[in-house]
Amino acid sequence: MWSLALTTLLHDRGKLVTALVGVVFSIVLVNTQGGLFLGFVMRASLLVDHSRADIWVGHKHMHNVDFPSDIPRRWLSRIRGLPEVRRADPYLVGWADMALPSGGYESVVVVGVDPGSLLGNVWNVQDGTPEAILQNDAIIIDRCEVEKLEGIRLGEVREIGGRRARVVGMSEGIIGFLVAPYVFTTYDRAAAYTRKPADRCSYFLVKLEPDADPRQACAAIRHRLPDAEAMPTAEYARTSLDFWMTRTGLGISFGAATLLGLLVGMVMVSQTLYAMVLDRLGEFGTFKAIGAQESQIVTILLVQATTMTLFGTAIGLGVVSAIQYAFSTPRAPIIIPWWLSAGSFVLVLAICLASAYLPYMRIRKVDPLTVLQS
Amino acid sequence: MTANHASTNRAEMDVTIRAEGLHKTYGRGSAATPVLRGIDLQVRRGQCVYLAGPSGSGKTTLLSIIGGILSADRGEVCVLGEDLATLAPKQRARLRLNRLGFVFQRFHLIRGLTVLGNVRVPLTLQGVPESQARRRAMELLEAVGIPEKASARPEQLSGGQCQRVAFARALVSNPDIILADEPTASLDAANGQEVMRLLRGLTAEQGRTVVVVTHDQRIFHFADIVYWLENGEVVSSGKPDAVPHPAPVATDRGISQ
């Protein structure tokens, strides 16, 4: 039955190509749109994802890593006192102005890390090392922000919050969801740049003992500090992401655009399948006259739809890889995780199988008698 | 049991197709057109029976009912001991696939398949393993005399060759009955004679029953019995030379009334 379905499918190459184009179009669209979307929204949790911490502790209503509310530093000792906690350090995320050579200012998000653990420090440093922030007045910024910061260079000295800041390293691809560049430095220096009171910080980053359960540790922290919130890193990353998704309608916009493209692709597929069947109604009549069962006719259609999806997906993913290779940049990354590709395949397969239903309804009406009367 | 009873039972067992009082009407109300009006028919195993008559006489409708493609409004039709009226569409399809072979007027070969692929279709639908199906299909192509066309496409064949492929497809699953609808209508006279000789040769040696719908009186001599239909009724039946029918008019495509 498979060979019968495939051979007849391959016969009409023109229509097959049209249907394949539909599938390829849908796969490329879903993956590219989805990849761009992920690349964009994953910036919202960039600091959390790369923090190397197990738990983030912050204000009771913490909802977004870039907009923390201050918490008292004295809470730190209560967290460190928990048996599950191996290490807990203060972390600071705050806003400050960097002076520009032109005389203007640029708002930056200053990230202050504990010099002992360097939890939550900069990563993917291309010029210099992450540990360079331990040097005097050291800051590390991202290469992608050079233009925004009016040609800032390695070794250059600037002012942030009226204090001296020297560029000791440059990372690649650390661009936040906000337009402000990230500036990584040590905790105390960050507090000075942002004029944060010495007894306040933004978060505590916690490393747990190897066999400790993060959820239980979070519960223990919340129990000890009723005014604090504690979340496992993955959960806080999701919370930060959800903040932008739900408050900006971003997900709906991207989703709608993707859905629209998907629909266009699927209309192409279903129309082509239908046209292919219409062209071959007589042949299906012949199958019926010879004695084919309804289930065999359905099998033929499903095999054809599945084959088109498989080939279309394979070609589509090839095109997506090429697009990703050619167009993905640190500023506009296209992130395509395996589950996005797998999900798009399942989605397109489901729609292809559903679109086989329309031609099937047409075939059901074919009377094998027509074969004898023509 | 007496000798008479024994021979009667044997004769009944030999009947592969039995139709009694078949009625069929197309359309309803004022548009109703009666096509069959009380057809009685009996075909024994191994017989070659022709259903002949002018256009609109109900030949193809009768063949469709015998093949389980169409249902009669009234009357009874038994094929190979099965009362078709009691069979569900699925069972009738299975009967067609496993025990009947069809030859269509316009061949109805599948364009996307090779000649070999076309011959294999019934076996594929039966779920016969591919290698076995291929072997059997090649045997049939050899039997119909075109093994060299196995990998050709239907559009590369002449009409006569297409009909040979259709015969091979009809015979490939070893059916008990072959139902052929105007098998010579698309062929010239010489080809018509040749394919009928081939069909008789392929079926007679294995005792298969053949029912042929035809206009072509020049192939009547291949039949054991001819049923002459007019206006949905059998007006005469018997040996080909004993059945009165209008004189044929020869055309370059065959015979017409």
Side-chain angles (χ1 to χ4, degrees), chain A residues 16-46:
Chain A
L16 176 64
V17 168
T18 313
L20 278 177
V21 167
V23 176
V24 169
F25 181 73
S26 302
I27 289 285
V28 169
L29 203 93
V30 170
N31 280 277
T32 311
Q33 279 277 79
L36 276 168
F37 177 63
L38 282 177
F40 187 56
V41 297
M42 279 172 91
R43 290 177 184 175
S45 60
L46 213 53

Side-chain angles (χ1 to χ4, degrees), chain A residues 255-296:
Chain A
T258 308
L259 193 70
L260 203 66
L262 193 69
L263 277 176
V264 172
M266 286 308 105
V267 165
M268 283 171 77
V269 174
S270 57
Q271 279 289 64
T272 314
L273 259 179
Y274 192 61
M276 281 170 102
V277 166
L278 278 188
D279 253 16
R280 293 165 40 220
L281 274 184
E283 294 181 0
F284 282 103
T286 305
F287 287 140
K288 282 184 165 186
I290 289 173
Q293 299 287 344
E294 288 284 319
S295 59
Q296 292 177 312

Side-chain angles (χ1 to χ4, degrees), chain B residues 140-207:
Chain B
L140 260 300
L141 281 179
E142 276 162 22
V144 298
I146 49 168
E148 75 283 358
K149 297 289 180 188
S151 53
R153 300 268 164 189
E155 60 269 23
Q156 297 169 316
L157 304 181
S158 67
Q161 287 170 330
C162 283
Q163 199 56 292
R164 284 163 190 263
V165 177
F167 284 166
R169 181 175 66 184
L171 289 162
V172 76
S173 55
N174 272 324
D176 298 287
I177 301 172
I178 300 289
L179 302 174
D181 184 28
E182 306 271 12
T184 59
S186 304
L187 307 176
D188 58 38
N191 257 316
Q193 293 286 326
E194 200 180 324
V195 295
M196 280 313 296
R197 194 172 300 117
L198 178 67
L199 180 63
R200 282 301 278 146
L202 290 170
T203 53
E205 63 192 38
Q206 278 153 356

Side-chain angles (χ1 to χ4, degrees), chain A residues 1-13 276-297 300 367-374, chain B residues 26 60-61 63-64 67 69-70 89-94 96-98 100 102-114 117 120-122 124-127 130 153 155 169 181:
Chain A
M1 196 55 62
W2 278 75
S3 62
L4 187 64
L6 295 180
T7 318
T8 48
L9 176 71
L10 287 172
H11 177 65
D12 198 344
R13 304 241 165 92
M276 281 170 102
V277 166
L278 278 188
D279 253 16
R280 293 165 40 220
L281 274 184
E283 294 181 0
F284 282 103
T286 305
F287 287 140
K288 282 184 165 186
I290 289 173
Q293 299 287 344
E294 288 284 319
S295 59
Q296 292 177 312
I297 302 282
I300 290 174
D367 191 338
L369 185 62
T370 55
V371 178
L372 284 166
Q373 288 176 334
S374 62
Chain B
Y26 290 129
T60 299
T61 300
L63 190 80
S64 306
I69 288 174
L70 200 63
K90 209 172 178 175
Q91 292 169 309
R92 289 207 297 267
R94 198 166 295 134
R96 284 202 298 277
L97 182 62
N98 296 326
L100 308 183
F102 276 95
V103 177
F104 308 110
Q105 184 176 342
R106 293 191 192 277
F107 322 127
H108 287 286
L109 301 179
I110 310 298
R111 278 174 300 159
L113 301 177
T114 60
R120 273 166 48 194
V121 165
T124 305
L125 294 173
Q126 283 179 338
E130 193 146 331
R153 300 268 164 189
E155 60 269 23
R169 181 175 66 184
D181 184 28

Side-chain angles (χ1 to χ4, degrees), chain B residues 39-56:
Chain B
I39 296 275
D40 295 326
L41 180 89
Q42 212 170 61
V43 184
R44 289 176 195 281
R45 187 180 309 279
Q47 273 187 332
C48 180
V49 170
Y50 280 19
L51 305 176
S55 294

